[in-house]
Amino acid sequence: MVTVTPDPEVGLAYVAGGLPERQIHIVRNAYRLFADRGVERVPIHEIATAAGVSKGIVLYYFKTKEQLVGVAMSWVLEEIGERIRHAVKNAATPIEVVQTMIETIFLGPDQSRRFYLTYLDLIDHAARVSGFGQISAAFRATVNRVYADVIRSGVEAGTFQVNDVEEAAVAVRAIVEGMHFQWLQEDDWRERHGWYKRACTDAVLAYLLNAGRPPCAVAFPAEDESRGDAVSAGA
């Protein structure tokens, strides 16, 4: 279960109980604008216009723009967390759980790009703008908790060889985010999405299994070779 400690100052209390549909509608539109143009470039009144409500309604539900950003990111994260929980239910082994989890996290190229561009905005604001630090910290804690649950079950099954589950969760998050951030810089990011997804899976499993092999077993395709999701794992 993905949970976040409620904090009314940053607007994350909804995660435990869900948002009314009207607020979800505002959040969806805000997230789309943040992803397309960047958090700093989207004023409240444009979010209101996109959602078909007044600026006053937006501020009634979300007292500040910082609060709305926190809710939007947490809402998306909860959606991803729910997809992960649903997807891994039928996984038979800890390795299959990790494979399924990363398959779900990577989504499609466009969805992943929107999410991580907005996430980079959140990181930038957390470092530069007072009030965003709590949002970023809550976000990291939520992601780490999802990874820790998966790792812990693998350790209990005797599959994963890690000494500290919480520390391992931070390392897995670093691998997943690092792969995404490198992928974002590719000119042909749509075509490279599948390779980065497979490389990320290899790196995470190599770390958790402590197999002593290189973290990326997937060969990076040469410039003149075909690319994309059709490239077989390990090619």
Side-chain angles (χ1 to χ4, degrees):
M1 177 66 179
V2 179
T3 58
V4 174
T5 302
D7 185 339
E9 292 301 314
V10 295
L12 300 179
Y14 90 92
V15 176
L19 281 174
E21 184 57 38
R22 192 177 194 189
Q23 293 182 49
I24 290 176
H25 176 68
I26 295 171
V27 167
R28 282 197 188 103
N29 281 277
Y31 175 73
R32 177 177 56 80
L33 290 172
F34 293 152
D36 289 345
R37 295 172 49 198
V39 171
E40 193 171 343
R41 297 181 180 89
V42 180
I44 290 288
H45 71 84
E46 289 191 16
I47 296 170
T49 299
V53 299
S54 69
K55 179 180 177 180
I57 289 294
V58 175
L59 292 174
Y60 173 78
Y61 289 123
F62 311 100
K63 305 305 180 186
T64 64
K65 182 177 175 180
E66 287 79 8
Q67 190 178 79
L68 179 53
V69 172
V71 171
M73 291 301 293
S74 298
W75 171 75
V76 174
L77 183 61
E78 178 67 13
E79 292 284 303
I80 295 172
E82 183 57 36
R83 283 197 292 268
I84 291 172
R85 289 191 292 270
H86 178 75
V88 303
K89 283 192 299 186
N90 296 322
T93 68
I95 290 176
E96 288 182 18
V97 169
V98 169
Q99 291 169 334
T100 303
M101 178 183 72
I102 293 176
E103 179 78 25
T104 305
I105 290 170
F106 265 76
L107 302 171
D110 292 286
Q111 297 98 312
S112 292
R113 186 174 176 82
R114 282 195 299 270
F115 177 81
Y116 276 94
L117 285 175
T118 308
Y119 180 35
L120 282 171
D121 261 0
L122 177 63
I123 294 172
D124 178 67
H125 276 63
R128 298 174 185 272
V129 181
S130 176
F132 272 85
Q134 287 179 296
I135 298 172
S136 183
F139 182 90
R140 293 195 306 273
T142 301
V143 175
N144 288 349
R145 192 173 298 116
V146 172
Y147 293 152
D149 288 344
V150 169
I151 295 166
R152 187 174 294 106
S153 65
V155 171
E156 291 171 353
T159 302
F160 298 151
Q161 306 301 313
V162 299
N163 296 321
D164 187 316
V165 169
E166 302 301 327
E167 182 179 282
V170 173
V172 168
R173 180 169 59 82
I175 293 170
V176 174
E177 291 180 3
M179 287 291 184
H180 273 97
F181 294 156
Q182 290 186 68
W183 165 71
L184 283 175
Q185 299 173 66
E186 296 281 0
D187 290 335
D188 51 351
W189 51 272
R190 283 195 178 89
E191 291 75 16
R192 296 285 177 135
H193 185 261
W195 183 88
Y196 276 97
K197 177 168 59 179
R198 291 189 295 274
C200 184
T201 303
D202 278 359
V204 170
L205 287 175
Y207 170 73
L208 294 176
L209 293 168
N210 195 25
R213 60 189 177 93
C216 294
V218 182
F220 201 94
E223 290 299 321
D224 59 349
E225 292 177 351
S226 60
R227 301 169 179 168
D229 290 351
V231 180
S232 61

